[in-house]
Amino acid sequence: MQALTVISGLLYMAGFYRTGFVYAGLLCQMIYMAYRGMALGRLPIVGPHDTLFFMSASTMVFALAVTARHKERLRLLLPLVGLALFFTALSALYKPHNTPLPPVLKTFWFESHVALSFFSYALFGIAAVFGGLFLSVKDQYVETLQYKAILVGYCFFSTAMIFGGVWAYLAWGTYWLWTPKELWTVILWLFYSLYLHARLRQWWAGRPSAILGIVGFFIVMFTYLGVSLFMKSSHSF
Amino acid sequence: MIGMVKKIFGVLASLRTGIWLLFSLIAMLLYGSLIMPVREEFQALHTTPLFEWLYDSPAAVTWWLFGAIVILSLLTANTVLCSIESLLRKRSARNLLLVISPQVIHIGFLFVLLAHLLSSYDSFQGMGQAAKGTTLQLPNGSVAIIDDIRADIDPAGFINDWSADVRYMSGGKELAKDSMRPNSPSFYDGIGLYIKTVRFEPFPVALIQISRDPGAPWALVGGVLFLIGMTTLLVLKIRMEEAVQ
């Protein structure tokens, strides 16, 4: 079944030739995740393999939706396919986490916290790609798309933080833990709050806010992977 | 004097100030996240209220938190003043919901800050192992007695779930009975009892955590307000977009 991850990657590559292959790649990802979900009896969103794969699929779902009504769809979609392909390849570097979950992770709050976090990460990734596109083609419409992706991503991320707080309170007796992961999560949330406020000012509009949107995604990746890899924290994957 | 007050008000009520305060806060937390894993003093922060920990710890490891508190205080003033100024400026706007929803988000944020303030001042956390019949002293003067410890183990040997029964007593009188399991603590009089893990050899023992977090209900109120404001704003923006198209 893991061959589906390779097939989906190959289909995404073929997507650079024809858009139909992108849909086929996404379908393969969905089948793989559904299979793993049924085999494990839970959402496959634990460990870097599953989360990176989930992030890749989320990126593609949002990318197809965001670009659906656009006249020059391919110009916007292809860099996003590249992003999804990157996450698919990255997920292949990690072994799937197949052991049963500890009781503390068997809750709606955990699953929704993780799923919403990765929806937001995917949207922040899409926004970073749009930011890069805006800097190269100077099309104001692309910058507006970046803003919209960040606004929706911020909504998902804030909800994920609140759900995470509820879960933490029910599992550990406090909605806030002093760990590097929590601090980076707040840094990320503050950074996108900063983006949304800064964009209201004329000085920050356009190029500076596009750059902020790109920088934000580096913070996303550090919060997600960097903290777990480089910092000692009880809150990791 | 009035000119000076007006000037300070003008600076505090400015969006530009808010943006630079956010930048400074991010810088402080960034520094904190880097020293947190390498300094042992932070281990005590998990079990001590923040203000007590700040008082007891050396300034070399706490200065960034003091800085963050100062910036957050200024950000609170900035949020309140910007919200009031925005409401006054846009009070005659046609779509009032569009004016109000960002302020609901701000109120939600302020509630979360209030929650942190309360938790930093008066939270409590204790942990200990308890066997059947163990009496745990609670911070409100009453006691909790562990009556039973159970686990559900699958054929492969993995523990699927565990739980414990608890009885609350005060002055020899039974106050309440309850049970607890992972993600489902037992609450009594604002105090939560959490079963962290269990061990059955040589006899059943549970690791029990006793917690009190006075900020939690306010954090929930803040979170709900934040979500209501955010969702309303998003829906309104989508509708406006569709109307333009």
Side-chain angles (χ1 to χ4, degrees):
Chain A
M1 215 38 173
Q2 214 169 334
L4 276 176
T5 62
V6 180
I7 295 170
S8 64
L10 292 173
L11 286 168
Y12 281 154
M13 275 197 247
F16 285 91
Y17 170 67
R18 206 159 264 181
T19 320
F21 287 115
V22 176
Y23 285 97
L26 180 61
L27 185 68
C28 280
Q29 285 198 309
M30 297 288 192
I31 293 170
Y32 178 70
M33 286 193 296
Y35 170 78
R36 272 189 67 69
M38 282 190 284
L40 298 167
R42 58 170 168 84
L43 285 183
I45 47 173
V46 176
H49 171 81
D50 283 333
T51 51
L52 280 163
F53 203 75
F54 186 79
M55 189 153 147
S56 167
S58 305
T59 303
M60 235 33 265
V61 168
F62 287 120
L64 288 169
V66 167
T67 60
R69 285 188 286 175
H70 199 268
K71 273 183 247 165
E72 295 172 78
R73 188 181 196 193
L74 269 188
R75 185 171 65 100
L76 294 172
L77 186 64
L78 291 185
L80 300 176
V81 173
L83 186 68
L85 193 57
F86 171 70
F87 291 134
T88 307
L90 214 54
S91 83
L93 299 177
Y94 294 94
K95 269 187 177 175
H97 181 103
N98 293 328
T99 52
L101 289 184
V104 78
L105 299 185
K106 290 179 194 167
T107 164
F108 159 81
W109 298 108
F110 166 72
E111 289 189 334
S112 52
H113 165 66
V114 177
L116 288 167
S117 297
F118 283 100
F119 286 158
S120 66
Y121 289 178
L123 281 160
F124 293 150
I126 289 171
V129 170
F130 285 160
L133 269 178
F134 170 74
L135 292 180
S136 59
V137 297
K138 305 279 184 296
D139 180 352
Q140 191 54 46
Y141 179 74
V142 181
E143 198 272 334
T144 311
L145 280 181
Q146 183 195 31
Y147 163 69
K148 286 178 182 171
I150 288 178
L151 187 66
V152 179
Y154 184 79
C155 252
F156 279 127
F157 192 63
S158 304
T159 314
M161 279 178 81
I162 292 162
F163 283 17
V166 173
W167 172 46
Y169 182 66
L170 294 174
W172 296 289
T174 177
Y175 58 92
W176 172 260
L177 294 165
W178 285 101
T179 68
K181 188 81 171 186
E182 261 82 359
L183 273 190
W184 273 90
T185 305
V186 170
I187 289 170
L188 183 58
W189 183 81
L190 287 171
F191 190 85
Y192 280 107
S193 305
L194 170 75
Y195 167 90
L196 292 172
H197 285 87
R199 200 177 171 277
L200 297 171
R201 283 188 65 84
Q202 207 179 357
W203 191 86
W204 286 93
R207 192 181 154 83
S209 64
I211 293 171
L212 278 183
I214 296 169
V215 172
F217 190 59
F218 284 101
I219 302 177
V220 167
M221 290 311 286
F222 190 79
T223 305
Y224 166 39
L225 293 172
V227 176
S228 299
L229 292 173
F230 304 118
M231 290 177 164
K232 207 171 75 182
S233 177
S234 58
H235 181 165
S236 63
F237 293 121
Chain B
M1 184 67 182
I2 294 169
M4 183 78 157
V5 171
K6 266 190 179 172
K7 203 171 177 184
I8 292 170
F9 181 85
V11 170
L12 273 180
S14 129
L15 180 59
R16 196 162 73 168
T17 307
I19 291 166
W20 289 111
L21 285 173
L22 281 171
F23 257 127
S24 321
L25 187 58
I26 288 168
M28 289 288 161
L29 297 183
L30 205 74
Y31 175 80
S33 77
L34 296 176
I35 66 154
M36 195 177 266
V38 293
R39 295 295 297 243
E40 268 187 22
E41 290 90 341
F42 286 97
Q43 292 300 320
L45 190 49
H46 295 295
T47 50
T48 318
L50 177 67
F51 291 149
E52 195 182 315
W53 182 85
L54 282 174
Y55 185 77
D56 293 338
S57 306
V61 294
T62 58
W63 71 266
W64 64 275
L65 265 168
F66 279 111
I69 291 168
V70 170
I71 295 168
L72 276 171
S73 309
L74 292 171
L75 201 58
T76 302
N78 176 258
T79 307
V80 171
L81 293 175
C82 280
S83 290
I84 293 171
E85 196 263 343
S86 172
L87 283 173
L88 290 175
R89 191 159 38 87
K90 299 174 187 167
R91 64 182 181 277
S92 53
R94 257 191 299 168
N95 195 343
L96 259 187
L97 213 51
L98 199 60
V99 179
I100 291 169
S101 48
Q103 314 322 326
V104 175
I105 296 173
H106 287 163
I107 295 168
F109 169 68
L110 294 176
F111 266 108
V112 174
L113 289 186
L114 172 73
H116 275 282
L117 192 67
L118 294 170
S119 299
S120 303
Y121 180 69
D122 196 27
S123 61
F124 172 86
Q125 208 175 88
M127 191 119 60
Q129 291 200 330
K132 192 175 168 180
T134 300
T135 301
L136 303 163
Q137 186 66 48
L138 303 180
N140 64 353
S142 60
V143 296
I145 299 168
I146 303 300
D147 276 341
D148 197 12
I149 299 166
R150 295 175 297 272
D152 168 23
I153 301 168
D154 72 10
F158 286 107
I159 300 183
N160 280 327
D161 200 7
W162 54 73
S163 62
D165 292 336
V166 62
R167 207 162 14 111
Y168 295 95
M169 307 276 290
S170 182
K173 208 174 105 185
E174 187 178 304
L175 302 169
K177 268 184 167 181
D178 200 4
S179 64
M180 55 185 148
R181 55 172 18 101
N183 294 310
S184 178
S186 168
F187 289 109
Y188 183 77
D189 197 21
I191 297 161
L193 252 64
Y194 296 76
I195 181 164
K196 311 289 282 186
T197 184
V198 289
R199 176 166 58 77
F200 283 87
E201 295 295 334
F203 53 87
V205 176
L207 184 64
I208 305 287
Q209 181 186 311
I210 304 168
S211 277
R212 182 182 61 211
D213 195 340
W218 300 104
L220 185 64
V221 170
V224 171
L225 283 173
F226 196 96
L227 281 188
I228 291 171
M230 197 75 224
T231 313
T232 312
L233 188 65
L234 199 64
V235 169
L236 290 174
K237 289 216 170 205
I238 291 168
R239 275 193 193 162
M240 276 167 61
E241 179 94 359
E242 282 170 353
V244 169
Q245 284 173 355

